[in-house]
């Protein structure tokens, strides 16, 4: 396969001279002087403006489709690289034409920026068979997705976002080397287009502290002990970039917003001191984001002599302002992240300008650079592509392309060239949102206020409930189930699109979905699965499906955000108070239950996950919005029970994701998040079995909150993370409810054998009672094809039966 970085890219396809992503009419670009830079490219007179990073999927998911076509063998390396080059070109051109001064490069990725850093450092796990040389697509994508002989690397959430990164596997025997020149190749690519970009690297501290000890390495291994071995590679990269003409370098060090100890902060300081000679001749920006920087970390950061500028998230990190007021080094640049990179609400330009003016009084106007709070990777790409949103709601929003314009507008205003008409329009739109009657529902507000009078625990202990449920369900030891979704075929997606577009009748649509249910039910019965699912053929997305049926939600036609690799999600927009006008799943679940004598799970998405996987209104506390969703889901749970559904799964895949990064804030979040889940099912009978599901996060540190959720059964990702979850039970935590740690990774095309899955089950039985253990995959099967699903589930059931027979004999 082709080289990931070094090979020369094919000639770039020509693009229109106008920016590919134009701001909406409500937020026009101010007129700027332009000077020709290269044929076909113009750059605005640059103010002090900066973008931390930008979505890489393309305005219409061009990269997603190119990747999947390449993985399926339908297109070539050149085809994939041509699409990628055009995506990068359009991003750089939009920023240059808008007038951004500090334009990032190397924020594009074919899969994940942490995986890119692993490739850059040559930290390839031995199972992939790489020994030396430039890392190509074959090794790169094998690390991300696995292959026939080697499983994929672990994937987990990037801080408290819904973006997933590939976790580096490190140990004392890893031999680091400069194995991917992607950063310098993309810098040169931008330079050839007339863009003097700022190359962006994941900082060495963030890289190491987000890694994990490789399999076979003692879990207590100190990852920071490798700092002296990766820094020489960083120095090679810096030398390469300087030789290519780079004048700036951006190190992303979001790890600094975490609670670091003294030794970690010393290692951080030592690392940048070690690189100081290589940084000579470069302007250095260290960017932090997602939260406040703790006082000790801030102090360490300010002590670095080699740094030109410091970037802070001033949307989620308002307390950092106090630290800046007390101490900011003279002569340094302050990159002020006042435009929210994680939400889609239009910036309150007047409020942001006041913040910038406050900073001006501290550090001086010429030292303030207007920036985004973090990479725009976490927001949708371009509002111009939206046709579903009504005019009023659209006027309240700004996607990535519009946020670039907001940054430039603030920079111009801050420098004395304020566009009064633009600011006036922005103020009117802010006022429109505050006063709109569609935002507030007094009855909902009253219902939420009343929730504070109870903790909403179920009336009996889980051990008593499990006995009552077993009498009713009569399940075998080690019952098998799946998480919910079955493959979403091309035909299935087409049918849903045609129904939405009114091209087929409701009768025809329901019949098609019914036939899909029958196929999924028959397959599960043939395989011998104990608790069935209907496969969710009627659902486009586990959050969008519910949001479309709740008031207070709006949906985009093209507001896609990358979750991992080629997987994109289209988060709903929560703009107002939430109610459930009518039942959402009862019709479908009842239909499916009638097809089988086996228990059929009613499938719901929990309130915390709906909240964390949406663009949430920022005009009231998040927990208030979450409780509104919880009340809606509670109504649905009780309607399912009345319809005869005896097993109801309320997924909380994103509960861990929303955990605040600072320990001092975590208890408050966990208290209200767990409370919201309990609200949904506190009124059901003991015989109704409540399941929940969680995936792709580190759950060990919140295990006691998971227990406090008081679910009857939890299915939880386990295999892709090398059974890290099981260690918490080795440490003595007692879990009395049903639990199903996943026995295979559904995000890899690799199909584990019966023996491999049986071995995993035995490892679980070493720490969990067979009376509470369930057998299931890591996650839903939506992204797999039917041949993979049938083989994997067949092996899974065979493994459960094998261990079940061994238990019976013993």
């Amino acid at each position: 396969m082709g080289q990931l970085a070094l090979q020369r890219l094919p000639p770039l396809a020509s693009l229109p001279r106008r920016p590919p992503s134009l701001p909406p009419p409500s937020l026009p670009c101010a007129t700027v002087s332009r000077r020709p830079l290269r044929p076909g490219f113009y750059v605005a007179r640059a103010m002090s403006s900066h973008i931390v990073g930008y979505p890489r999927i393309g305005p219409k998911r061009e990269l997603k489709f190119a990747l999947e076509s390449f993985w399926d063998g339908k297109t070539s390396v050149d085809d994939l690289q041509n699409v990628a080059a055009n995506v990068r070109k359009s991003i750089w051109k939009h920023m240059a034409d808008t007038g951004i001064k500090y334009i990032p490069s190397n924020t594009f990725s074919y899969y994940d920026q942490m995986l890119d850093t692993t490739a850059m450092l040559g930290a390839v796990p031995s199972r992939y068979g790489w020994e030396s040389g430039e890392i190509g697509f074959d090794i790169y994508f094998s690390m991300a997705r696995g292959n026939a002989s080697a499983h994929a690397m672990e994937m987990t959430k990037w801080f408290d976002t819904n973006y997933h990164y590939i976790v580096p596997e490190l140990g004392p025997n890893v031999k680091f080397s400069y194995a991917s020149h992607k950063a310098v190749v993309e810098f040169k690519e931008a330079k050839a287009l007339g863009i003097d970009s700022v190359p962006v690297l994941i900082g060495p501290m963030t890289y190491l502290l987000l890694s994990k000890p490789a399999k076979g390495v003692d879990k207590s291994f100190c990852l920071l002990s490798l700092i002296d071995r990766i820094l020489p590679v960083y120095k090679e990269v810096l030398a390469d970039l300087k030789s290519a003409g780079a004048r700036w370098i951006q190190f992303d060090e979001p790890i600094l917003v975490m609670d670091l100890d003294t030794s970690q902060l010393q290692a951080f300081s030592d690392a940048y001191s070690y690189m100081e000679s290589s940084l000579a001749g470069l302007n250095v920006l260290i960017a932090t984001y997602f939260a406040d920087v703790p006082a000790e970390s801030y102090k360490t950061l300010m002590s670095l002599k080699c740094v030109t500028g410091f970037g802070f998230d001033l949307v989620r990190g308002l307390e950092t302002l106090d630290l800046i007021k007390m101490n900011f080094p003279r002569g340094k640049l302050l990159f002020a992240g006042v435009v929210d990179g994680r939400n889609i609400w239009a910036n309150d330009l007047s409020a942001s300008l006041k913040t910038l003016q406050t900073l001006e009084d501290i550090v001086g106007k010429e030292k303030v650079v207007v920036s985004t709070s973090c990479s725009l990777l976490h927001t949708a790409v371009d509002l111009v592509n939206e046709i579903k949103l009504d005019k009023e709601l659209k006027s309240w929003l700004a996607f990535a392309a519009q946020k670039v314009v907001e940054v430039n507008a603030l920079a111009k205003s801050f420098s004395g060239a304020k566009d009064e008409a633009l600011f006036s329009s922005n103020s009117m739109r802010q006022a429109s949102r505050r006063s709109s009657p569609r935002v507030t529902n007094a009855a909902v507000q009253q219902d939420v206020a009343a929730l504070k009078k109870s903790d909403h625990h179920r009336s009996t202990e889980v051990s008593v409930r499990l006995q009552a449920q077993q009498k009713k369900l009569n399940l075998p030891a080690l019952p098998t189930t799946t998480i919910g979704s079955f493959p979403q075929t091309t035909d299935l997606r087409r049918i849903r699109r045609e129904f939405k577009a009114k091209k087929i009748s409701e009768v025809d649509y329901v019949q098609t979905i019914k036939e899909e249910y029958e196929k999924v039910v028959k397959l599960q019965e043939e395989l011998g699965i104990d608790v069935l699912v209907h496969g969710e053929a009627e659902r486009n997305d586990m959050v969008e499906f519910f949001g479309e049926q709740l008031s207070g939600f709006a949906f985009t036609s093209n507001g896609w955000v990358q979750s991992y690799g080629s997987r994109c999600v289209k988060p709903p927009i929560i703009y107002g108070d939430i109610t459930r006008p009518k039942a959402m799943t009862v019709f479908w679940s009842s239909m499916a239950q009638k097809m089988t004598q086996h228990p059929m799970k009613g499938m719901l998405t929990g309130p915390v996950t709906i909240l964390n996987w949406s663009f949430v209104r920022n005009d009231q506390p998040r927990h208030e919005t979450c409780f509104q969703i919880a009340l809606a889901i509670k109504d649905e749970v009780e309607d399912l029970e009345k319809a005869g559904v005896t097993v109801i799964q309320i997924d909380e895949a994103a509960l861990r994701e929303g955990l605040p990064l600072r320990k001092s804030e975590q208890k408050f979040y966990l208290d209200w998040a767990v409370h919201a889940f309990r609200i949904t099912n506190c009124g059901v009978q003991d015989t109704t079995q409540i399941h929940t599901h969680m995936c792709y996060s580190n759950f060990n540190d919140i295990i006691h909150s998971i227990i406090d959720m008081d679910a009857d059964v939890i299915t939880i990702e386990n295999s892709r993370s090398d059974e890290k979850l099981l260690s918490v039970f080795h440490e003595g935590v007692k879990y009395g409810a049903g639990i199903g740690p996943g026995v295979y990774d559904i995000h890899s095309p690799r199909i584990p054998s019966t023996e491999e899955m049986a071995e995993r089950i035995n490892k679980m039985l070493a720490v969990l009672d067979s009376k509470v253990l369930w057998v299931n995959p890591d996650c839903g099967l939506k992204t797999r094809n039917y041949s993979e699903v049938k083989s994997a589930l067949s092996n899974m059931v065979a493994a459960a039966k094998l261990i079940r027979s061994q238990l019976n004999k013993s």
Side-chain angles (χ1 to χ4, degrees), residues 110-151:
Y110 285 100
Y111 204 94
D112 164 53
Q113 67 267 25
M114 281 288 283
L115 183 60
D116 292 350
T117 309
T118 292
M120 181 186 84
L121 295 170
V124 180
S126 60
R127 64 182 177 274
Y128 301 111
W130 177 83
E131 293 181 357
S132 62
E134 187 80 5
I135 291 175
F137 278 153
D138 50 350
I139 298 298
Y140 180 84
F141 288 131
S142 289
M143 289 192 286
R145 306 176 71 238
N147 58 39
S149 60
H151 62 85

Side-chain angles (χ1 to χ4, degrees), residues 4-5 9-10 12 15 20 41 54-56 58 63 80-95 103-110 182 185-187 189-190 193 195:
L4 173 62
L9 294 174
L12 303 180
L15 290 176
F41 262 84
Y54 199 84
R56 65 198 45 146
L63 181 63
L80 174 59
Q81 290 182 324
N82 277 334
V83 171
N86 281 328
V87 168
R88 290 191 295 269
K89 181 179 179 181
S90 68
I91 292 168
W92 291 328
K93 186 176 189 295
H94 174 52
M95 292 189 198
I103 297 175
S105 61
N106 199 41
T107 58
F108 173 88
S109 178
Y110 285 100
K182 175 179 175 293
V185 168
E186 290 187 14
F187 173 79
E189 183 183 334
L193 295 170
I195 307 292

Side-chain angles (χ1 to χ4, degrees), residues 185 273 335 395 425 598 611 690 749:
V185 168
S273 295
F335 287 71
S395 74
S425 171
H598 291 272
L611 182 88
I690 298 297

Side-chain angles (χ1 to χ4, degrees), residues 600-647:
M600 171 70 66
K601 286 196 280 191
M603 300 299 303
L604 304 175
T605 303
V608 184
T609 296
I610 291 176
L611 182 88
N612 285 337
W613 286 357
S614 299
F615 290 125
V616 183
R617 57 190 293 189
N618 58 2
D619 60 343
Q620 72 177 10
R622 287 173 69 87
H623 67 271
E624 298 281 348
T625 303
C626 193
F627 286 163
Q628 293 179 7
I629 303 170
L631 287 173
I633 300 300
K634 181 178 187 291
D635 290 344
E636 189 71 15
V637 167
E638 292 172 1
D639 281 351
L640 282 170
E641 186 182 54
K642 289 174 187 174
V645 178
T646 56
V647 181

Side-chain angles (χ1 to χ4, degrees), residues 78-236:
D78 287 347
D79 294 328
L80 174 59
Q81 290 182 324
N82 277 334
V83 171
N86 281 328
V87 168
R88 290 191 295 269
K89 181 179 179 181
S90 68
I91 292 168
W92 291 328
K93 186 176 189 295
H94 174 52
M95 292 189 198
D97 283 348
T98 302
I100 301 301
K101 181 175 182 179
Y102 300 106
I103 297 175
S105 61
N106 199 41
T107 58
F108 173 88
S109 178
Y110 285 100
Y111 204 94
D112 164 53
Q113 67 267 25
M114 281 288 283
L115 183 60
D116 292 350
T117 309
T118 292
M120 181 186 84
L121 295 170
V124 180
S126 60
R127 64 182 177 274
Y128 301 111
W130 177 83
E131 293 181 357
S132 62
E134 187 80 5
I135 291 175
F137 278 153
D138 50 350
I139 298 298
Y140 180 84
F141 288 131
S142 289
M143 289 192 286
R145 306 176 71 238
N147 58 39
S149 60
H151 62 85
M153 295 169 70
E154 181 184 351
M155 180 172 68
T156 195
K157 299 293 175 70
W158 177 247
F159 293 86
D160 58 348
T161 74
N162 187 31
Y163 177 80
H164 301 67
Y165 75 94
I166 303 297
V167 183
E169 301 172 12
L170 304 179
N173 298 322
V174 176
K175 296 178 180 178
F176 297 100
S177 63
Y178 188 9
S180 170
H181 293 67
K182 175 179 175 293
V184 71
V185 168
E186 290 187 14
F187 173 79
K188 289 179 178 178
E189 183 183 334
K191 191 174 182 181
L193 295 170
I195 307 292
D196 186 12
S197 68
V198 178
V200 179
L201 300 177
I202 297 288
M205 285 294 292
T206 294
Y207 179 78
L208 287 179
L209 291 179
L210 293 184
S211 301
K212 69 173 186 178
K215 195 168 186 178
V217 175
D218 191 288
K219 298 302 180 187
S220 64
F221 174 71
C222 179
L223 294 162
L224 280 182
S225 67
L226 300 173
I227 191 80
D228 292 341
R229 293 169 54 191
I230 69 169
L231 290 178
V233 181
Y234 272 90
K235 292 180 77 170
E236 287 187 72

